[in-house]
Amino acid sequence: MSDRAPGDRPDIARKLGHLIETLHPENRGPYTYQEIADLIRQRAGDGDPTVSHGTIQSIRTGKVTNPSVDSLRALASFFGVPPSYFLDDTVSAAVDQRIREIKESVERAGAGDELAKALEDREVRAVAFRLSGLSARSLRGIKGIVEGFRQAEGLPAVDARKRGRRSG
């Protein structure tokens, strides 16, 4: 175990932590070190580098500050980033920006798909058309009423932030 605080970790540890926390399937939390190691091994071709879960943990916690090139290559391949991500701040900044853009695009697409599905309902369309032209104050009031009905009918709350919109 390292005595370092998370913010004091060397760049490679911090960057690996960022990838682990950011790049995982939408409906679950981050991969465990064991899952990452197992998936790297499963996907590795002949001659491709692999890495153990212990090494991944040691890199992420900053215990290993100078990991092997093969370890970095294996991790980079798993997360779909260039190996230089771990060593070059310009590359990592560009990759991180692209990751943010992709995640925002996916969120917007999901919101668009959900809206399209909702608008397939004739009654929902009828209500939506009648909202056009109302003031922001009136829309907030209607939103509160709708949320009350959703709760009364046992429907889940709608999280506007999840959809990439600002709540009003």
Side-chain angles (χ1 to χ4, degrees), residues 48-69:
D48 289 340
T50 60
V51 62
S52 73
H53 73 278
T55 298
I56 296 168
Q57 180 178 9
S58 294
I59 294 169
R60 184 169 185 202
T61 60
K63 186 175 181 180
V64 169
T65 58
N66 191 15
S68 73
V69 171

PDB file of all heavy atoms in Angstrom, residues 48-69:
ATOM      1  N   ASP A  48       1.559 -10.630 -28.337  1.00  0.00           N
ATOM      2  CA  ASP A  48       1.024  -9.416 -27.729  1.00  0.00           C
ATOM      3  C   ASP A  48       1.313  -9.420 -26.229  1.00  0.00           C
ATOM      4  O   ASP A  48       1.234 -10.464 -25.577  1.00  0.00           O
ATOM      5  CB  ASP A  48      -0.488  -9.308 -27.938  1.00  0.00           C
ATOM      6  CG  ASP A  48      -0.860  -8.994 -29.375  1.00  0.00           C
ATOM      7  OD1 ASP A  48       0.011  -8.500 -30.124  1.00  0.00           O
ATOM      8  OD2 ASP A  48      -2.031  -9.232 -29.738  1.00  0.00           O
ATOM      9  N   PRO A  49       1.621  -8.259 -25.678  1.00  0.00           N
ATOM     10  CA  PRO A  49       1.923  -8.208 -24.250  1.00  0.00           C
ATOM     11  C   PRO A  49       0.656  -8.371 -23.398  1.00  0.00           C
ATOM     12  O   PRO A  49      -0.448  -8.056 -23.835  1.00  0.00           O
ATOM     13  CB  PRO A  49       2.510  -6.812 -24.067  1.00  0.00           C
ATOM     14  CG  PRO A  49       1.941  -5.993 -25.172  1.00  0.00           C
ATOM     15  CD  PRO A  49       1.748  -6.957 -26.316  1.00  0.00           C
ATOM     16  N   THR A  50       0.857  -8.920 -22.214  1.00  0.00           N
ATOM     17  CA  THR A  50      -0.214  -9.024 -21.222  1.00  0.00           C
ATOM     18  C   THR A  50       0.308  -8.399 -19.936  1.00  0.00           C
ATOM     19  O   THR A  50       1.476  -8.026 -19.839  1.00  0.00           O
ATOM     20  CB  THR A  50      -0.630 -10.487 -20.972  1.00  0.00           C
ATOM     21  OG1 THR A  50       0.500 -11.208 -20.493  1.00  0.00           O
ATOM     22  CG2 THR A  50      -1.168 -11.130 -22.243  1.00  0.00           C
ATOM     23  N   VAL A  51      -0.572  -8.289 -18.958  1.00  0.00           N
ATOM     24  CA  VAL A  51      -0.196  -7.681 -17.685  1.00  0.00           C
ATOM     25  C   VAL A  51      -1.046  -8.322 -16.587  1.00  0.00           C
ATOM     26  O   VAL A  51      -2.207  -8.651 -16.814  1.00  0.00           O
ATOM     27  CB  VAL A  51      -0.363  -6.141 -17.747  1.00  0.00           C
ATOM     28  CG1 VAL A  51      -1.780  -5.734 -17.989  1.00  0.00           C
ATOM     29  CG2 VAL A  51       0.205  -5.460 -16.537  1.00  0.00           C
ATOM     30  N   SER A  52      -0.459  -8.514 -15.417  1.00  0.00           N
ATOM     31  CA  SER A  52      -1.192  -9.136 -14.314  1.00  0.00           C
ATOM     32  C   SER A  52      -2.022  -8.105 -13.568  1.00  0.00           C
ATOM     33  O   SER A  52      -1.747  -6.901 -13.631  1.00  0.00           O
ATOM     34  CB  SER A  52      -0.218  -9.798 -13.335  1.00  0.00           C
ATOM     35  OG  SER A  52       0.473  -8.802 -12.589  1.00  0.00           O
ATOM     36  N   HIS A  53      -3.017  -8.587 -12.837  1.00  0.00           N
ATOM     37  CA  HIS A  53      -3.845  -7.668 -12.053  1.00  0.00           C
ATOM     38  C   HIS A  53      -3.015  -6.978 -10.975  1.00  0.00           C
ATOM     39  O   HIS A  53      -3.242  -5.810 -10.664  1.00  0.00           O
ATOM     40  CB  HIS A  53      -5.060  -8.389 -11.454  1.00  0.00           C
ATOM     41  CG  HIS A  53      -4.750  -9.295 -10.321  1.00  0.00           C
ATOM     42  ND1 HIS A  53      -4.278 -10.571 -10.506  1.00  0.00           N
ATOM     43  CD2 HIS A  53      -4.828  -9.107  -8.993  1.00  0.00           C
ATOM     44  CE1 HIS A  53      -4.087 -11.131  -9.337  1.00  0.00           C
ATOM     45  NE2 HIS A  53      -4.411 -10.278  -8.394  1.00  0.00           N
ATOM     46  N   GLY A  54      -2.037  -7.674 -10.431  1.00  0.00           N
ATOM     47  CA  GLY A  54      -1.168  -7.074  -9.416  1.00  0.00           C
ATOM     48  C   GLY A  54      -0.347  -5.924  -9.984  1.00  0.00           C
ATOM     49  O   GLY A  54      -0.157  -4.897  -9.324  1.00  0.00           O
ATOM     50  N   THR A  55       0.132  -6.103 -11.211  1.00  0.00           N
ATOM     51  CA  THR A  55       0.898  -5.032 -11.852  1.00  0.00           C
ATOM     52  C   THR A  55       0.000  -3.837 -12.138  1.00  0.00           C
ATOM     53  O   THR A  55       0.397  -2.687 -11.932  1.00  0.00           O
ATOM     54  CB  THR A  55       1.556  -5.550 -13.153  1.00  0.00           C
ATOM     55  OG1 THR A  55       2.464  -6.607 -12.818  1.00  0.00           O
ATOM     56  CG2 THR A  55       2.296  -4.449 -13.878  1.00  0.00           C
ATOM     57  N   ILE A  56      -1.224  -4.104 -12.597  1.00  0.00           N
ATOM     58  CA  ILE A  56      -2.158  -3.009 -12.857  1.00  0.00           C
ATOM     59  C   ILE A  56      -2.398  -2.228 -11.577  1.00  0.00           C
ATOM     60  O   ILE A  56      -2.346  -0.986 -11.565  1.00  0.00           O
ATOM     61  CB  ILE A  56      -3.491  -3.543 -13.430  1.00  0.00           C
ATOM     62  CG1 ILE A  56      -3.260  -4.206 -14.796  1.00  0.00           C
ATOM     63  CG2 ILE A  56      -4.524  -2.414 -13.553  1.00  0.00           C
ATOM     64  CD1 ILE A  56      -4.442  -5.016 -15.304  1.00  0.00           C
ATOM     65  N   GLN A  57      -2.649  -2.927 -10.481  1.00  0.00           N
ATOM     66  CA  GLN A  57      -2.882  -2.264  -9.201  1.00  0.00           C
ATOM     67  C   GLN A  57      -1.649  -1.470  -8.766  1.00  0.00           C
ATOM     68  O   GLN A  57      -1.766  -0.330  -8.304  1.00  0.00           O
ATOM     69  CB  GLN A  57      -3.245  -3.277  -8.128  1.00  0.00           C
ATOM     70  CG  GLN A  57      -3.503  -2.642  -6.775  1.00  0.00           C
ATOM     71  CD  GLN A  57      -3.911  -3.639  -5.719  1.00  0.00           C
ATOM     72  OE1 GLN A  57      -3.848  -4.847  -5.916  1.00  0.00           O
ATOM     73  NE2 GLN A  57      -4.352  -3.134  -4.583  1.00  0.00           N
ATOM     74  N   SER A  58      -0.483  -2.041  -8.938  1.00  0.00           N
ATOM     75  CA  SER A  58       0.752  -1.350  -8.543  1.00  0.00           C
ATOM     76  C   SER A  58       0.987  -0.093  -9.364  1.00  0.00           C
ATOM     77  O   SER A  58       1.458   0.918  -8.844  1.00  0.00           O
ATOM     78  CB  SER A  58       1.947  -2.304  -8.673  1.00  0.00           C
ATOM     79  OG  SER A  58       1.838  -3.357  -7.738  1.00  0.00           O
ATOM     80  N   ILE A  59       0.647  -0.143 -10.634  1.00  0.00           N
ATOM     81  CA  ILE A  59       0.787   1.048 -11.482  1.00  0.00           C
ATOM     82  C   ILE A  59      -0.231   2.100 -11.051  1.00  0.00           C
ATOM     83  O   ILE A  59       0.097   3.273 -10.872  1.00  0.00           O
ATOM     84  CB  ILE A  59       0.610   0.695 -12.978  1.00  0.00           C
ATOM     85  CG1 ILE A  59       1.746  -0.210 -13.456  1.00  0.00           C
ATOM     86  CG2 ILE A  59       0.559   1.977 -13.823  1.00  0.00           C
ATOM     87  CD1 ILE A  59       1.523  -0.815 -14.842  1.00  0.00           C
ATOM     88  N   ARG A  60      -1.479   1.671 -10.867  1.00  0.00           N
ATOM     89  CA  ARG A  60      -2.528   2.635 -10.537  1.00  0.00           C
ATOM     90  C   ARG A  60      -2.294   3.303  -9.189  1.00  0.00           C
ATOM     91  O   ARG A  60      -2.595   4.482  -9.010  1.00  0.00           O
ATOM     92  CB  ARG A  60      -3.899   1.976 -10.548  1.00  0.00           C
ATOM     93  CG  ARG A  60      -4.978   3.031 -10.289  1.00  0.00           C
ATOM     94  CD  ARG A  60      -6.347   2.550 -10.531  1.00  0.00           C
ATOM     95  NE  ARG A  60      -7.298   3.646 -10.379  1.00  0.00           N
ATOM     96  CZ  ARG A  60      -8.555   3.482 -10.121  1.00  0.00           C
ATOM     97  NH1 ARG A  60      -9.040   2.261  -9.987  1.00  0.00           N
ATOM     98  NH2 ARG A  60      -9.350   4.508  -9.993  1.00  0.00           N
ATOM     99  N   THR A  61      -1.783   2.584  -8.222  1.00  0.00           N
ATOM    100  CA  THR A  61      -1.562   3.169  -6.900  1.00  0.00           C
ATOM    101  C   THR A  61      -0.265   3.951  -6.820  1.00  0.00           C
ATOM    102  O   THR A  61      -0.002   4.606  -5.817  1.00  0.00           O
ATOM    103  CB  THR A  61      -1.565   2.081  -5.809  1.00  0.00           C
ATOM    104  OG1 THR A  61      -0.515   1.146  -6.081  1.00  0.00           O
ATOM    105  CG2 THR A  61      -2.911   1.380  -5.719  1.00  0.00           C
ATOM    106  N   GLY A  62       0.540   3.877  -7.862  1.00  0.00           N
ATOM    107  CA  GLY A  62       1.802   4.614  -7.874  1.00  0.00           C
ATOM    108  C   GLY A  62       2.949   3.857  -7.251  1.00  0.00           C
ATOM    109  O   GLY A  62       4.049   4.379  -7.117  1.00  0.00           O
ATOM    110  N   LYS A  63       2.712   2.618  -6.860  1.00  0.00           N
ATOM    111  CA  LYS A  63       3.781   1.790  -6.285  1.00  0.00           C
ATOM    112  C   LYS A  63       4.838   1.498  -7.348  1.00  0.00           C
ATOM    113  O   LYS A  63       6.032   1.501  -7.062  1.00  0.00           O
ATOM    114  CB  LYS A  63       3.193   0.498  -5.731  1.00  0.00           C
ATOM    115  CG  LYS A  63       4.172  -0.367  -5.002  1.00  0.00           C
ATOM    116  CD  LYS A  63       3.475  -1.572  -4.393  1.00  0.00           C
ATOM    117  CE  LYS A  63       4.469  -2.431  -3.646  1.00  0.00           C
ATOM    118  NZ  LYS A  63       3.798  -3.607  -3.056  1.00  0.00           N
ATOM    119  N   VAL A  64       4.379   1.269  -8.571  1.00  0.00           N
ATOM    120  CA  VAL A  64       5.281   1.105  -9.712  1.00  0.00           C
ATOM    121  C   VAL A  64       5.215   2.408 -10.493  1.00  0.00           C
ATOM    122  O   VAL A  64       4.174   2.757 -11.054  1.00  0.00           O
ATOM    123  CB  VAL A  64       4.870  -0.086 -10.605  1.00  0.00           C
ATOM    124  CG1 VAL A  64       5.651  -0.081 -11.912  1.00  0.00           C
ATOM    125  CG2 VAL A  64       5.058  -1.398  -9.872  1.00  0.00           C
ATOM    126  N   THR A  65       6.321   3.146 -10.505  1.00  0.00           N
ATOM    127  CA  THR A  65       6.343   4.445 -11.173  1.00  0.00           C
ATOM    128  C   THR A  65       6.990   4.391 -12.556  1.00  0.00           C
ATOM    129  O   THR A  65       6.892   5.346 -13.310  1.00  0.00           O
ATOM    130  CB  THR A  65       7.097   5.477 -10.319  1.00  0.00           C
ATOM    131  OG1 THR A  65       8.420   5.000 -10.080  1.00  0.00           O
ATOM    132  CG2 THR A  65       6.380   5.717  -8.998  1.00  0.00           C
ATOM    133  N   ASN A  66       7.630   3.282 -12.864  1.00  0.00           N
ATOM    134  CA  ASN A  66       8.292   3.141 -14.149  1.00  0.00           C
ATOM    135  C   ASN A  66       7.927   1.776 -14.747  1.00  0.00           C
ATOM    136  O   ASN A  66       8.771   0.891 -14.832  1.00  0.00           O
ATOM    137  CB  ASN A  66       9.817   3.282 -13.963  1.00  0.00           C
ATOM    138  CG  ASN A  66      10.539   3.404 -15.280  1.00  0.00           C
ATOM    139  OD1 ASN A  66       9.931   3.665 -16.306  1.00  0.00           O
ATOM    140  ND2 ASN A  66      11.841   3.189 -15.246  1.00  0.00           N
ATOM    141  N   PRO A  67       6.648   1.623 -15.160  1.00  0.00           N
ATOM    142  CA  PRO A  67       6.217   0.327 -15.688  1.00  0.00           C
ATOM    143  C   PRO A  67       6.904   0.000 -17.002  1.00  0.00           C
ATOM    144  O   PRO A  67       7.395   0.889 -17.700  1.00  0.00           O
ATOM    145  CB  PRO A  67       4.721   0.492 -15.872  1.00  0.00           C
ATOM    146  CG  PRO A  67       4.490   1.954 -15.957  1.00  0.00           C
ATOM    147  CD  PRO A  67       5.586   2.614 -15.186  1.00  0.00           C
ATOM    148  N   SER A  68       6.916  -1.277 -17.323  1.00  0.00           N
ATOM    149  CA  SER A  68       7.541  -1.709 -18.569  1.00  0.00           C
ATOM    150  C   SER A  68       6.747  -1.198 -19.772  1.00  0.00           C
ATOM    151  O   SER A  68       5.550  -0.925 -19.681  1.00  0.00           O
ATOM    152  CB  SER A  68       7.628  -3.233 -18.625  1.00  0.00           C
ATOM    153  OG  SER A  68       6.336  -3.790 -18.849  1.00  0.00           O
ATOM    154  N   VAL A  69       7.439  -1.108 -20.880  1.00  0.00           N
ATOM    155  CA  VAL A  69       6.789  -0.709 -22.132  1.00  0.00           C
ATOM    156  C   VAL A  69       5.690  -1.701 -22.474  1.00  0.00           C
ATOM    157  O   VAL A  69       4.607  -1.310 -22.913  1.00  0.00           O
ATOM    158  CB  VAL A  69       7.831  -0.606 -23.267  1.00  0.00           C
ATOM    159  CG1 VAL A  69       7.161  -0.404 -24.621  1.00  0.00           C
ATOM    160  CG2 VAL A  69       8.819   0.506 -22.988  1.00  0.00           C
TER     161      VAL A  69
END
